[in-house]
Amino acid sequence: MKYSAIALLLSAALSQQAQAADNSTLSGTLLDNDGNPLANIEVFISSHNQSTTTDENGHFEFTDLETGRYVLDIKGGKQGHINKAVQHTGESLTVTVDYSDTQTLVITGNPLEHTILEMAAPAVIVSGDELTQKRGINIGETLGEVPGVNLSSFGAGAGRPVIRGQQGNRVTVLSNNSTTQDASNASPDHWISAEPLLAKRVEILKGPATLLYGGGAVGGAVNVVDNRIPTELPDGIEGGVEIRMGDSATGERSTVGTFSTANGGLAFNIDAFKSETDKLKIPGFAESYYLREQEEAEGEAGHDEEASGILENSDTDSEGGSVGFSYITDAGYWGVSYSDYKRNYGLPGHAEHHDEEEGTPEEEHGEEAVRLDLHKKRWDMKGRWNTPFDGFKSLNLHFASTDYQHQEIEGAEIGTTFLNDAQETRLELVHDAWSGWQGAFGLQYSDSDFVTLGDEAYIPASNTEKLGLFWLEEYEVGNWHTELGARYDKQTITTDLFGQRDDNAFSFAFGSLLHIDEHWTLPINITRAQRIATVEELYSNAGNDEANYVPHLATASIEVGNPNLGKETANNIDIGIRYNSDTVSASVAVFHNRINDYIFLAHQEHEPAPGEVHDHEEFPVFEYQQADATFEGAEAEINWTLATDGLAIVRTGLFGDYTVAKLDDGSYLPRIPAKRFGGSIGLDYDMFTSNLTAIKVFDQDRLAEDELPTDGYTLINLDLGYNVFFDDSELFLFLRGQNMTDAEIRDHASFLKDRAPRAGRSLTAGFRWTF
């Protein structure tokens, strides 16, 4: 008996040791959506500096790991790069990889390579068929239906994203993680030169992204990703062709083509696009009801009081392309590209009208049609060196040099020319896990020579140098993911009139993500971010007396800079909860952003002295000032699969967002989007997809001084698609109906919301063939 008991105890101990040994090995199989094994796929567990490659059966294995939660970093080459969270219990895992799932796609705008689900800060990815269907004439229109993101339109030619009520100098738009280096921040009528037709995905970082991209991202960042510099070797010849045709409401005619191939380790890429739109058809008057009422009460005749049905001078004409190559090995890649973009578009509100009896153009009130003619030439160099030194994971380098020019043409005369000769260098050094801490050090340097020429040049010539140093770290312990970071920025602006000005800024951030279980996560993000004033905020019309102010015709106002401006300091807290499963994804976020010394344009009453006559008396005067402000709001979204029956899938979703922005004196800030609530329902059957979306935008009557109300509306869109698969290619056919009820839609965030509504009911049909 005694020996039997001892034998039993030894057997139990050996069994427990064997189980513990099994639990130290994390193993599994990678499968695609059809259940096929994925071979030769790199799999990493970065928090423990471990990596492996799947065998021909898709099998992978990691050793010396305690049981618990781990994030698998799965690099599928040109197929995609995803993260997948798993629970290690000692049993072999089956991991299904879906490279089209935006919840698991890695965000390239973050050097630590995380997905939406693994970041404390809220983010969104738009890609694949969704991006193809929702492509707009500009990047703002493309993203206008994303929760927390609104459109600030300036006719069809220019549109910018508004993230949680912030836009312009507070929202950075990037092209492959590098700034666009154009003149879009100088004025809302300037095109953001990130072409959505060439994008393969768009990443949106909501809330302060200052640590990564400086003060210009204090409100958020949008990263437009394309393939101008290949980072993976294509198999043979790859590419695609997309053609889009709109009805008479927009008259869109767009064609885009991409082509890539490889020879040994050398990969080539070429792409080109051509896009035209006609004058937009609108459901009513160009001028809003409130503006017409105001002009009537003041006894004035509006510039567009009789314009209806057509938004004059709203047509666009764009073309461009790029060519690039890179050398790719297991050690990384190094590549270079050249891109050339041209765009010509009109600014509504300054358009010619035609006399119906004489058939000749008339200029309203002596004004002429104003058009922008833009040309941008850019060189990019990009590289990644894997394992450059012991203890470091990668060295990433990006250099861009841009020659940008656009002319504002009034009738046949060139009124103002904007020139920007800019260079930017970005360096990121990502280190391995050091005692569990993963992180990156970075440097960002830019030099910009900005010049405006002509009688209406209200911004002085300047040189701006920016230097940013940043550091990011993160730590995984149990179900907690913690992020820390800091950034230092120095800016030097040199002008002939004001000499040299130096400013410094410091930003800090803390984020944490609690994985409550495999479905629920609780994120919190706290940021203190500083933004330094820009050239236009400091020096617009500075040095001019009131009689010599130069008006900004695009916004129909006079903007006066303030050389005494200090830096802004934003203190932001963002708390949310997220849920993700195979059938449901949902998120709720609330934010409170207290901005000390917020820079804004304040309306000023200026009366000429007796006997003085100013050429610009009809333009209101706005001066840049500072005061404390608060932005706060909430956004929520849920998407779920209601039923799956064989080939049929029924999907539905709801979302809403809301932002309020006030100064400390209780007055509202201008151009803050109204609250929205929307829903969608979709049916997928075999290769057919459909989606019906309805978005209710409420009235905006929380107004700044001299701001007019904006009526709400209901936007209804319908998307239909059909996929056809061939042996080596795929054809996607799509039809998109926008504003199906022909509602009058005005974006409260737009400077032209009372003079330029969005297009009425429109249909766009097209196809995208990829091979």
Side-chain angles (χ1 to χ4, degrees):
M1 260 328 259
K2 180 178 179 180
Y3 292 105
S4 296
I6 293 173
L8 186 60
L9 288 172
L10 288 173
S11 175
L14 290 172
S15 174
Q16 289 176 354
Q17 290 177 359
Q19 185 177 6
D22 288 341
N23 286 351
S24 69
T25 299
L26 191 162
S27 62
T29 303
L30 289 189
L31 304 176
D32 64 16
N33 283 331
D34 297 323
N36 301 314
L38 295 172
N40 299 316
I41 300 296
E42 292 182 295
V43 185
F44 297 81
I45 298 181
S46 299
S47 61
H48 287 67
N49 296 330
Q50 290 201 36
S51 64
T52 187
T53 302
T54 59
D55 61 19
E56 65 273 10
N57 297 315
H59 182 76
F60 64 90
E61 185 175 294
F62 295 97
T63 59
D64 298 324
L65 294 177
E66 296 180 357
T67 57
R69 184 181 185 275
Y70 293 91
V71 177
L72 302 181
D73 187 14
I74 302 169
K75 297 184 178 181
K78 63 185 184 64
Q79 298 178 73
H81 183 187
I82 72 167
N83 285 173
K84 196 82 169 180
V86 297
Q87 195 70 31
H88 172 33
T89 62
E91 299 181 357
S92 183
L93 304 171
T94 298
V95 180
T96 301
V97 175
D98 183 357
Y99 291 113
S100 65
D101 182 4
T102 58
Q103 297 287 315
T104 59
L105 281 176
V106 165
I107 293 179
T108 64
N110 187 323
L112 300 184
E113 300 181 335
H114 286 311
T115 67
I116 296 168
L117 300 176
E118 301 297 326
M119 290 176 58
V124 177
I125 294 177
V126 182
S127 65
D129 292 347
E130 180 186 13
L131 177 58
T132 298
Q133 288 181 306
K134 292 186 176 180
R135 290 190 213 273
I137 303 171
N138 52 66
I139 191 63
E141 185 178 312
T142 302
L143 304 177
E145 296 177 28
V146 174
V149 182
N150 294 83
L151 168 64
S152 173
S153 60
F154 214 98
R160 61 186 60 237
V162 182
I163 299 179
R164 294 179 168 181
Q166 303 203 50
Q167 58 176 303
N169 288 317
R170 298 177 180 86
V171 174
T172 291
V173 178
L174 307 163
S175 176
N176 298 307
N177 301 336
S178 178
T179 57
T180 54
Q181 299 180 337
D182 47 31
S184 57
N185 281 343
S187 176
D189 63 307
H190 297 172
W191 180 53
I192 298 176
S193 55
E195 179 50 58
L197 281 173
L198 296 176
K200 63 180 182 181
R201 64 193 290 185
V202 180
E203 303 167 348
I204 306 159
L205 306 178
K206 293 188 281 188
T210 317
L211 294 189
L212 292 171
Y213 301 110
V218 71
V222 174
N223 187 28
V224 181
V225 182
D226 57 37
N227 196 45
R228 70 179 69 174
I229 295 180
T231 59
E232 301 289 344
L233 289 172
D235 294 331
I237 297 175
E238 298 178 352
V241 175
E242 182 177 328
I243 294 179
R244 311 171 66 88
M245 301 293 290
D247 64 1
S248 59
T250 63
E252 180 183 2
R253 304 172 297 282
S254 299
T255 303
V256 59
T258 63
F259 172 87
S260 60
T261 188
N263 183 10
L266 197 61
F268 302 88
N269 181 80
I270 186 171
D271 53 49
F273 72 93
K274 172 69 175 177
S275 179
E276 294 178 279
T277 62
D278 297 331
K279 297 175 184 178
L280 300 182
K281 285 190 175 181
I282 55 178
F285 288 97
E287 288 191 347
S288 70
Y289 164 79
Y290 298 103
L291 181 59
R292 298 197 309 273
E293 287 287 302
Q294 182 186 71
E295 290 173 338
E296 182 177 347
E298 295 175 354
E300 298 177 0
H303 293 279
D304 298 308
E305 62 177 357
E306 297 178 0
S308 63
I310 295 290
L311 185 60
E312 295 289 349
N313 199 35
S314 59
D315 54 308
T316 69
D317 186 357
S318 307
E319 63 183 17
S322 69
V323 58
F325 69 90
S326 56
Y327 183 68
I328 303 171
T329 68
D330 291 339
Y333 66 87
W334 295 96
V336 64
S337 72
Y338 172 76
S339 57
D340 192 299
Y341 293 163
K342 296 179 181 179
R343 189 174 181 91
N344 183 288
Y345 59 96
L347 299 183
H350 302 275
E352 293 179 336
H353 288 270
H354 293 266
D355 187 291
E356 294 182 359
E357 296 181 1
E358 299 180 8
T360 58
E362 286 188 329
E363 295 174 0
E364 293 184 302
H365 301 272
E367 288 191 358
E368 298 176 317
V370 177
R371 300 192 65 83
L372 268 67
D373 191 27
L374 179 152
H375 190 191
K376 175 181 174 181
K377 296 176 285 186
R378 172 169 168 145
W379 287 93
D380 285 90
M381 185 179 74
K382 185 178 180 181
R384 177 187 176 100
W385 183 11
N386 296 324
T387 319
F389 327 106
D390 289 341
F392 288 89
K393 185 176 180 180
S394 65
L395 175 66
N396 305 313
L397 173 67
H398 195 161
F399 171 78
S401 178
T402 301
D403 179 8
Y404 173 92
Q405 170 184 299
H406 87 245
Q407 296 175 327
E408 297 186 356
I409 303 172
E410 303 168 32
E413 301 292 330
I414 297 175
T416 311
T417 299
F418 289 77
L419 303 172
N420 191 19
D421 183 7
Q423 294 80 37
E424 180 178 90
T425 301
R426 184 178 180 87
L427 185 69
E428 299 169 348
L429 186 59
V430 183
H431 68 73
D432 292 333
W434 297 344
S435 300
W437 287 92
Q438 306 170 71
F441 309 95
L443 177 150
Q444 185 176 5
Y445 173 79
S446 64
D447 183 280
S448 171
D449 288 313
F450 184 77
V451 179
T452 56
L453 304 172
D455 295 337
E456 296 171 3
Y458 65 96
I459 304 175
S462 63
N463 173 264
T464 302
E465 285 188 86
K466 296 180 181 180
L467 173 65
L469 303 174
F470 60 89
W471 161 72
L472 307 171
E473 292 292 334
E474 63 180 28
Y475 189 77
E476 299 274 352
V477 54
N479 291 326
W480 284 94
H481 169 84
T482 300
E483 302 172 359
L484 297 171
R487 181 177 176 117
Y488 164 75
D489 284 289
K490 180 180 180 180
Q491 176 178 281
T492 299
I493 297 176
T494 305
T495 62
D496 290 338
L497 182 61
F498 296 95
Q500 180 174 305
R501 174 183 171 127
D502 295 311
D503 290 283
N504 300 287
F506 298 89
S507 299
F508 309 93
F510 165 81
S512 188
L513 195 67
L514 172 62
H515 298 280
I516 300 172
D517 58 26
E518 63 176 321
H519 300 302
W520 291 95
T521 56
L522 181 67
I524 180 171
N525 205 51
I526 301 172
T527 305
R528 178 188 183 274
Q530 291 190 321
R531 185 182 76 87
I532 302 171
T534 61
V535 171
E536 55 271 17
E537 293 169 334
L538 293 167
Y539 301 132
S540 292
N541 270 304
N544 294 338
D545 56 32
E546 184 177 343
N548 294 307
Y549 280 161
V550 178
H552 186 188
L553 293 183
T555 59
S557 65
I558 293 172
E559 299 165 16
V560 182
N562 182 355
N564 297 318
L565 294 176
K567 53 180 170 279
E568 295 178 345
T569 301
N571 301 284
N572 182 80
I573 182 169
D574 187 304
I575 301 175
I577 189 166
R578 304 171 189 164
Y579 179 87
N580 188 69
S581 70
D582 292 337
T583 57
V584 179
S585 65
S587 65
V588 177
V590 294
F591 62 91
H592 179 89
N593 193 1
R594 167 76 175 183
I595 306 178
N596 298 328
D597 299 318
Y598 180 80
I599 300 172
F600 65 102
L601 282 169
H603 182 255
Q604 301 295 319
E605 295 293 341
H606 282 260
E607 294 292 337
E612 281 189 354
V613 178
H614 296 171
D615 293 336
H616 50 73
E617 288 181 5
E618 72 274 21
F619 295 102
V621 177
F622 293 88
E623 293 182 355
Y624 282 101
Q625 296 184 3
Q626 286 187 288
D628 295 344
T630 300
F631 288 72
E632 55 187 8
E635 56 198 42
E637 180 180 18
I638 182 170
N639 295 286
W640 67 92
T641 302
L642 293 177
T644 301
D645 181 15
L647 297 176
I649 300 175
V650 180
R651 298 170 286 101
T652 189
L654 295 171
F655 88 90
D657 55 33
Y658 178 55
T659 300
V660 177
K662 290 182 179 181
L663 295 173
D664 267 11
D665 63 7
S667 60
Y668 292 103
L669 286 168
R671 293 177 294 281
I672 302 301
K675 60 184 176 182
R676 298 185 299 180
F677 180 77
S680 66
I681 186 166
L683 170 65
D684 299 347
Y685 184 82
D686 196 13
M687 299 295 106
F688 173 78
T689 63
S690 63
N691 195 69
L692 179 66
T693 303
I695 301 174
K696 170 61 179 176
V697 178
F698 292 82
D699 297 345
Q700 182 56 289
D701 52 12
R702 294 180 170 180
L703 307 173
E705 182 184 1
D706 297 320
E707 190 177 32
L708 295 176
T710 303
D711 288 338
Y713 58 87
T714 300
L715 172 65
I716 297 179
N717 295 337
L718 175 65
D719 292 294
L720 304 175
Y722 190 82
N723 283 286
V724 182
F725 295 96
F726 305 101
D727 290 339
D728 297 313
S729 63
E730 175 185 348
L731 180 66
F732 177 59
L733 307 171
F734 60 89
L735 175 67
R736 178 166 172 80
Q738 293 180 275
N739 192 12
M740 299 299 290
T741 60
D742 203 30
E744 181 176 311
I745 297 178
R746 298 182 185 273
D747 300 305
H748 190 79
S750 170
F751 279 83
L752 279 190
K753 59 107 175 173
D754 289 302
R755 296 187 182 276
R758 288 201 221 173
R761 183 189 302 110
S762 66
L763 292 174
T764 302
F767 70 85
R768 183 169 183 85
W769 175 48
T770 55
F771 53 86

